[in-house]
Amino acid sequence: LALSGYEYDGPAAHLRFTPRHTPENFKSFFAGPEGWGTLSQTRHGGTQTNQITITEGRLRIARLHLDSSAKAARVTVGGKAVAANLRPTVKGIEIALAAPLTLAVGQTLRVALA
């Protein structure tokens, strides 16, 4: 947990993922209250991509907190755009989804930051 910076608040559907070890190419297991899967982050030049993939169960998400200073975000699930707003915070950025979503087995939430 310390290396991935993973925190999840189930009632608020708020996920924090701020890798501290090799943040330019990081992948880790996570376990939530109703499911588990993988978190990954890659950085190339001025871009960053974060992915949450569900292996078993489900995960409800309304907000994401990521370690970045990005000004723009594109959020997708299964290649389809998800409406979201990005705002800077003291320790990174927060992405608020227009409507909470529940990821199911085999689904991947992808956040492309620039």
Side-chain angles (χ1 to χ4, degrees):
L1 291 177
L3 291 178
S4 68
Y6 170 77
E7 293 176 16
Y8 182 71
D9 178 343
H14 181 236
L15 174 78
R16 173 189 289 278
F17 175 49
T18 55
R20 298 294 173 228
H21 177 68
T22 62
E24 65 282 348
N25 188 22
F26 185 87
K27 187 171 184 176
S28 176
F29 165 86
F30 79 90
E34 297 183 284
W36 59 275
T38 59
L39 303 168
S40 67
Q41 176 175 290
T42 56
R43 291 178 176 166
H44 298 287
T47 65
Q48 176 174 312
T49 302
N50 292 78
Q51 293 190 146
I52 303 163
T53 302
I54 307 303
T55 304
E56 190 63 46
R58 61 187 180 174
L59 183 69
R60 187 169 174 268
I61 300 176
R63 291 180 299 137
L64 295 165
H65 183 101
L66 302 171
D67 184 19
S68 175
S69 59
K71 304 292 185 225
R74 176 168 162 72
V75 180
T76 59
V77 174
K80 295 181 182 177
V82 174
N85 294 311
L86 180 146
R87 74 174 184 91
T89 67
V90 174
K91 294 184 180 181
I93 59 168
E94 182 178 271
I95 298 169
L97 304 181
L101 61 87
T102 301
L103 296 174
V105 174
Q107 288 187 307
T108 297
L109 174 81
R110 183 174 186 267
V111 179
L113 302 169

